[in-house]
Amino acid sequence: MKYKYKPLLRELRSSFKSRSREYFLENNLHGVPYFVDSTRPKWERITWFLLTALSIVAIVAIIATFLYKFQTEPTITGLDIITEHIGIEFPQIFICFDWSHLNHSHIREPSDSNLIPGERPAIRMYFPVDIEFIVEITYTTSDIRYLLLRQRKCYYNQEGISLNDCEINCLRDKLFAHCECLPWFLSFADKTECTVSKYSCLNNVNIDMTHCNCWLSCDHTSYSIKGVKKSLKDVTRIMLRNWPTALYRREMRFGYLDLLVSFGGIASLFLGFSLLSSIEFGYYFTLRTYCGAVVQSSRKQYNIVTVHVVEKLPNKVDTNLKYYQYID
């Protein structure tokens, strides 16, 4: 018999229906063969259908919870007590004041004749204080590199961006959108520099830097002020009294392999689903469906009919059994 390898659409549809019933009756998923089997009582089929539906709902809900945690909180930060052979860079110190703390009446619009090109007016203030700071060092493991930026929420040095650059860009965009000009220390971006009369507008801009989506470097060192007090000497001192005794290690909480294992474990617990079950599902509804349509169309082309012979039992059964003596 020569097979017809291009079956019609209706033959594929008929084969798909037959393979669907065959798959649901013969698969190993928990509860599915019971509510598909038409020979079982109706109440039993309804019960198994409801139990299977509840299992599927539970699987979807738990997987959605794990997937949400993987998207939002895939990392965890813990303590690492090994602090030997670490280097600490001394921080850069900038003492800044709020604009509201300064006397604006003594600031005049600078004239070109009094300033050297590229120079900007500055206000200097000196006072003796003792500033003590502490150091917190955070490093990340190598597996975090494979996460997306919105997942890991930190920058690598190879990406060419830092927290300061991101915040400056965000601050510049928000100030220019509100006042249509920039202060002198941000006007290097080919945008209009504010005059002195416009500085009141800049002072009234309320900017929340948490909305800028800027993050620290993945391996970073944070400096916090522990205390500031008046110096007993006529000099300002900035001190690091205590060497850090612990490091912060940021590592993966959920990796891609952990996510796959979690999904498989949940599906197997509630429904008995496995990797082979998915392969079996694909086999039934692709290759087996096509082959069934090819065989069906070819048999129809050559008028081949399958005859199932069933032997009927006689109406009367002889109950007069004969026994023979067995001699060894």
Side-chain angles (χ1 to χ4, degrees), residues 20-21 23-25 27 29-56 271:
S20 299
R21 180 173 177 79
Y23 171 77
F24 286 118
L25 285 174
N27 73 87
L29 298 179
H30 301 334
V32 175
Y34 299 128
F35 70 79
V36 176
D37 189 1
S38 58
T39 62
R40 294 182 177 273
K42 188 175 181 179
W43 65 268
E44 183 179 352
R45 296 177 63 188
I46 294 175
T47 302
W48 281 111
F49 176 78
L50 293 177
L51 291 175
T52 305
L54 289 176
S55 298
I56 294 176
L271 207 59

Side-chain angles (χ1 to χ4, degrees), residues 95 97 102 123-127:
I95 300 178
F97 299 92
L102 302 178
I123 300 174
R124 298 182 178 180
M125 182 174 292
Y126 300 92
F127 53 96

Side-chain angles (χ1 to χ4, degrees), residues 180-323:
E180 298 182 353
C181 65
L182 293 175
W184 60 267
F185 51 86
L186 292 177
S187 60
F188 52 82
D190 297 332
K191 293 184 179 180
T192 306
E193 180 180 343
C194 293
T195 60
V196 173
S197 60
K198 279 279 190 175
Y199 272 70
S200 58
C201 174
L202 299 176
N203 188 43
N204 294 328
V205 179
N206 186 14
I207 299 177
D208 188 0
M209 300 303 294
T210 59
H211 295 162
C212 294
N213 294 327
C214 297
W215 299 292
L216 293 168
S217 298
C218 294
D219 300 326
H220 64 272
T221 303
S222 300
Y223 305 92
S224 302
I225 300 298
K226 185 177 181 181
V228 179
K229 62 181 181 180
K230 185 177 180 181
S231 178
L232 299 178
K233 301 180 180 180
D234 293 334
V235 63
T236 296
R237 298 185 300 175
I238 302 174
M239 301 167 290
L240 173 63
R241 293 184 182 273
N242 300 321
W243 194 261
T245 58
L247 303 178
Y248 292 97
R249 182 180 67 250
R250 196 158 171 252
E251 55 188 355
M252 290 284 293
R253 172 186 293 175
F254 289 108
Y256 290 102
L257 182 59
D258 299 326
L259 199 66
L260 179 62
V261 171
S262 299
F263 289 173
I266 295 167
S268 177
L269 175 65
F270 284 92
L271 207 59
F273 188 84
S274 66
L275 183 60
L276 289 180
S277 299
S278 60
I279 297 176
E280 181 185 19
F281 180 85
Y283 163 71
Y284 263 90
F285 293 101
T286 55
L287 182 61
R288 192 172 179 86
T289 299
Y290 170 74
C291 292
V294 169
V295 172
Q296 181 181 354
S297 62
S298 302
R299 291 168 65 89
K300 186 180 299 183
Q301 181 181 2
Y302 290 96
N303 296 323
I304 298 177
V305 179
T306 302
V307 179
H308 298 277
V309 180
V310 179
E311 183 180 359
K312 295 184 64 177
L313 294 176
N315 295 330
K316 294 183 179 180
V317 181
D318 186 10
T319 58
N320 297 324
L321 302 178
K322 296 181 180 180
Y323 297 92

Side-chain angles (χ1 to χ4, degrees), residues 136-151:
E136 295 177 351
I137 301 175
T138 302
Y139 73 94
T140 57
T141 55
S142 58
D143 49 359
I144 293 183
R145 184 181 298 272
Y146 300 102
L147 294 176
L148 299 176
L149 178 60
R150 59 180 175 82
Q151 291 179 288

Side-chain angles (χ1 to χ4, degrees), residues 80-92:
D80 191 354
I81 60 175
I82 301 177
T83 60
E84 298 178 357
H85 308 294
I86 60 172
I88 300 177
E89 296 183 359
F90 198 80
Q92 296 178 345

Side-chain angles (χ1 to χ4, degrees), residues 83-130:
T83 60
E84 298 178 357
H85 308 294
I86 60 172
I88 300 177
E89 296 183 359
F90 198 80
Q92 296 178 345
I93 307 298
F94 298 92
I95 300 178
C96 303
F97 299 92
D98 291 335
W99 186 256
S100 58
H101 294 166
L102 302 178
N103 189 352
H104 306 164
S105 59
H106 297 289
I107 302 178
R108 298 189 301 272
E109 187 74 22
S111 60
D112 297 338
S113 59
N114 297 330
L115 290 178
I116 302 174
E119 184 182 357
R120 292 292 184 267
I123 300 174
R124 298 182 178 180
M125 182 174 292
Y126 300 92
F127 53 96
V129 292
D130 288 341

